[in-house]
């Protein structure tokens, strides 16, 4: 879809936003460029980086740097493909809309509802993590109290206006960026022996303690798997761009800066950690890699500082996932792929979708209390590899859409995939390799099988709905400006 300028507001509606049967209006355009910039920037820095990286370091040792670089390269290719499609056709359904147009309505249905389920379950997991941090600070409180509080706050913020979501994410991202920036500066000063009380370690921790590959290629592969899933959440910026005043510019800017963000925050911080302290230092497993480094550098209250940052990362992810899941559910509904009541829009916000996604997240939290090893574990397994399924749909959709755009509307190719179609095929092959690696690990294999089964069920439902004529064609875009 080619957006008209803001001055032509009557024609400026989302590619997948049409008035619903109850007279609901299209989504608003309340997100500013600064919101999008920080959503894209902060989206790279998640709880997976601060918390989940310890497993990757334990498995791969210093080669975790290589693992994050390789998986980061794959993510950059996926984001570039998604950026190309999102800049050409901004839509609140993002890759679900693109898959529906390029592959078939069943593909949009499958990718969309799988991603919605992933975000809803992630809301629950992040709420539980945030509640754990709070109960450490306030021992006399119960986790469910904090979960309920967080759910009410972020559900309320998302109900009011999209600008509220943008403001929350702007300040959350600013704090995360500041924290990781300070960490990198302190780490580099320590590496070069400039920080008082430290000596330059050189390459002793990279090549000593078993070498760069202390657990061989198998350890590297496990680290690669751990790193891939730490990048989840970057897709939200292409969903958010559809509610900005200049979605094409916003998406283009976010995608074009993805490379240095990933290199700086993920690969850079992993390099600092395994250079400053030994990869097998007991403090990494006990306190986490970031706290371990800050403790080594004798930074006062390092553990509490990182707890604050981790809490912010978890709350930021909760806020973003409530937003992303509600917009995806709304997009699916207005395309005839979801219950009609979710298509109601008030004040430019799909409020019923926000409430439903928040409620599902809270219900999943209750499942974690009532049936932690059965129902909640099944939910986690069903969405365990969902992001890989989504990435696969993105690659196939971009292969098909690019050819059509080149023939029908080459002026829409504001962002172009590098070395098309070769790197698209490389990205698709990379997704398949990660899926094969998951088959080698027993725990990952279970997740893959559950996710695969969930994807098949959704695909069958999507095909049956399409044959029954229940899926509405994606609304046509308004005419190009000028």
């Amino acid at each position: 879809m080619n957006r008209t300028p803001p001055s032509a507001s009557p024609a400026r509606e989302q590619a997948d936003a049409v008035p619903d049967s109850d007279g609901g209006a299209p989504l608003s355009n309340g997100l500013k460029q600064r919101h999008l910039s920080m959503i894209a920037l902060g989206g790279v820095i998640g709880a997976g980086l601060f918390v989940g990286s310890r497993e990757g370091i334990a498995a791969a040792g210093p080669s975790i740097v290589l693992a994050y670089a390789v998986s980061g390269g794959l993510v950059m290719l996926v984001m570039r493909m998604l950026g190309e499609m999102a800049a050409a056709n901004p839509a609140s359904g993002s890759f679900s809309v693109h898959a529906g147009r390029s592959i078939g309505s069943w593909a949009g249905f499958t990718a969309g509802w799988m991603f919605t389920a992933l975000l809803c379950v992630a809301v629950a997991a992040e709420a539980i993590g945030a509640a754990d941090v709070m109960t450490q600070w306030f021992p006399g409180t119960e986790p469910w109290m904090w979960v309920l509080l967080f759910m009410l706050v972020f559900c309320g913020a998302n109900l009011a206006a999209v600008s509220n979501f943008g403001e929350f994410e702007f300040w959350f991202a600013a704090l995360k960026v500041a924290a990781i920036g300070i960490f990198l500066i302190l780490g580099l000063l320590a590496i070069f022996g400039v920080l008082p009380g430290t000596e330059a370690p050189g390459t002793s921790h990279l090549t000593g303690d078993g070498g760069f590959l202390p657990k061989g290629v198998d350890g590297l592969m496990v680290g690669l798997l751990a790193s891939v899933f730490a990048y989840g959440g970057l897709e939200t910026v292409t969903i958010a761009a559809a509610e900005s005043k200049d979605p094409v510019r916003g998406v283009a800017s976010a995608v074009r800066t993805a490379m240095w963000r990933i290199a700086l925050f993920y690969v850079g911080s992993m390099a600092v950690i395994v250079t400053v302290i030994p990869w097998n230092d007991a403090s990494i497993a006990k306190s986490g890699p970031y706290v371990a480094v800050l403790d080594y550098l004798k930074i006062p209250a390092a553990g509490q500082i990182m707890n604050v940052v981790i809490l912010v990362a978890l709350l930021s992810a909760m806020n973003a996932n409530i937003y992303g899941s509600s917009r995806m559910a709304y997009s699916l509904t207005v395309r005839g792929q979801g219950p009609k009541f979710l298509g109601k829009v008030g004040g430019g916000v799909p409020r019923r979708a926000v409430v439903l996604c928040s409620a599902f997240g809270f219900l999943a939290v209750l499942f974690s209390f009532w049936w932690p090893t059965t129902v909640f574990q099944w939910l986690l397994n069903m969405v365990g590899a969902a992001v890989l399924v989504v990435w696969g749909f993105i690659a196939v959709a971009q292969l098909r859409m690019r050819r059509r755009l080149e023939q029908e509307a080459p002026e829409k190719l504001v962002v172009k995939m590098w070395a098309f179609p070769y790197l698209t095929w490389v990205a698709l092959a990379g997704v398949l390799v990660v899926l094969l690696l998951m088959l080698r690990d027993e725990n990952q294999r279970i997740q893959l099988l559950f996710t695969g089964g969930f994807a098949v069920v959704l695909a069958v439902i999507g095909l049956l709905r399409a044959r029954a004529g229940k899926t509405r064609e994606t609304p046509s875009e308004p005419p190009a400006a000028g």
Side-chain angles (χ1 to χ4, degrees), residues 160-305:
V162 70
S163 59
N164 287 351
F165 159 74
E167 283 299 317
F168 266 112
E169 283 306 290
F170 179 85
W171 293 108
F172 280 152
L175 195 151
K176 289 189 291 183
V177 169
I180 200 73
I182 292 171
F183 175 83
L184 290 171
I185 291 171
L186 290 173
L188 287 173
L189 291 176
I191 288 172
F192 291 106
V194 179
L195 196 69
T198 62
E199 295 182 2
T203 60
S204 60
H205 297 147
L206 294 175
T207 57
D209 307 310
F212 187 72
L213 284 163
K215 296 188 178 180
V217 176
D218 284 345
L220 176 62
M221 295 300 101
V222 175
L224 180 63
L225 283 176
S227 63
V228 163
F229 296 106
Y231 287 108
L234 283 170
E235 304 85 358
T236 303
V237 70
T238 61
I239 295 174
E243 291 185 74
S244 67
K245 298 183 187 301
D246 191 350
V248 174
R249 176 170 169 258
V251 168
S253 175
V255 170
R256 284 169 180 157
T257 57
M259 182 176 294
W260 72 262
R261 291 199 307 268
I262 290 173
L264 179 64
F265 295 135
Y266 275 84
V267 182
S269 60
M270 289 302 107
V272 165
I273 290 166
V274 296
T275 303
V276 171
I277 59 177
W279 68 271
N280 53 2
D281 192 299
S283 61
I284 292 180
K286 180 182 178 182
S287 307
Y290 290 84
V291 174
V293 170
L294 293 176
D295 280 338
Y296 174 80
L297 299 180
K298 298 180 177 59
I299 304 300
Q304 291 306 318
I305 292 172

Side-chain angles (χ1 to χ4, degrees), residues 33-369:
Q33 184 59 40
R34 68 181 178 88
H35 292 149
L36 284 183
S37 297
M38 291 305 280
I39 289 169
L41 197 60
V44 184
I45 310 171
L49 175 63
F50 294 117
V51 181
S53 54
R54 76 176 77 188
E55 285 79 13
I57 293 173
S63 65
I64 192 65
V65 178
L66 179 59
Y68 269 89
V70 171
S71 57
L74 173 60
V75 173
M76 281 193 289
L77 295 180
V78 171
M79 284 302 296
R80 187 75 183 187
M81 290 184 288
L82 185 53
E84 177 182 290
M85 294 186 291
N89 296 294
S92 61
S94 188
F95 50 82
S96 174
V97 172
H98 309 320
R101 289 174 175 165
S102 301
I103 304 171
S105 61
W106 67 270
F109 179 91
T110 304
W113 283 116
M114 177 160 279
F115 192 71
T116 302
L118 168 64
L119 295 189
C120 287
V121 175
V123 166
E126 286 138 4
I128 293 168
D132 286 343
V133 175
M134 296 304 294
T135 52
Q136 290 177 30
W137 292 341
F138 303 96
T141 58
E142 295 293 332
W144 68 267
M145 298 166 55
W146 295 108
V147 170
L148 181 59
L149 175 63
F150 296 146
M151 288 291 186
L152 290 175
V153 168
F154 293 118
C155 180
N158 277 276
L159 284 173
V162 70
S163 59
N164 287 351
F165 159 74
E167 283 299 317
F168 266 112
E169 283 306 290
F170 179 85
W171 293 108
F172 280 152
L175 195 151
K176 289 189 291 183
V177 169
I180 200 73
I182 292 171
F183 175 83
L184 290 171
I185 291 171
L186 290 173
L188 287 173
L189 291 176
I191 288 172
F192 291 106
V194 179
L195 196 69
T198 62
E199 295 182 2
T203 60
S204 60
H205 297 147
L206 294 175
T207 57
D209 307 310
F212 187 72
L213 284 163
K215 296 188 178 180
V217 176
D218 284 345
L220 176 62
M221 295 300 101
V222 175
L224 180 63
L225 283 176
S227 63
V228 163
F229 296 106
Y231 287 108
L234 283 170
E235 304 85 358
T236 303
V237 70
T238 61
I239 295 174
E243 291 185 74
S244 67
K245 298 183 187 301
D246 191 350
V248 174
R249 176 170 169 258
V251 168
S253 175
V255 170
R256 284 169 180 157
T257 57
M259 182 176 294
W260 72 262
R261 291 199 307 268
I262 290 173
L264 179 64
F265 295 135
Y266 275 84
V267 182
S269 60
M270 289 302 107
V272 165
I273 290 166
V274 296
T275 303
V276 171
I277 59 177
W279 68 271
N280 53 2
D281 192 299
S283 61
I284 292 180
K286 180 182 178 182
S287 307
Y290 290 84
V291 174
V293 170
L294 293 176
D295 280 338
Y296 174 80
L297 299 180
K298 298 180 177 59
I299 304 300
Q304 291 306 318
I305 292 172
M306 285 310 304
N307 272 338
V308 172
V309 175
I310 290 169
L311 177 64
V312 168
L314 289 165
L315 296 180
S316 172
M318 276 187 67
N319 186 39
N321 289 341
I322 289 174
Y323 169 83
S325 59
S326 64
R327 279 3 181 231
M328 186 62 75
Y330 165 79
S331 170
L332 288 159
T333 297
V334 297
R335 285 181 278 141
Q337 297 181 329
K340 291 183 179 180
F341 76 93
L342 292 179
K344 179 69 176 178
V345 174
V349 175
R351 289 174 175 163
R352 293 179 181 177
V354 170
V355 170
L356 182 66
C357 293
S358 300
F360 184 88
F362 187 69
L363 185 62
V365 171
L366 295 180
F367 289 159
S368 74
F369 293 145

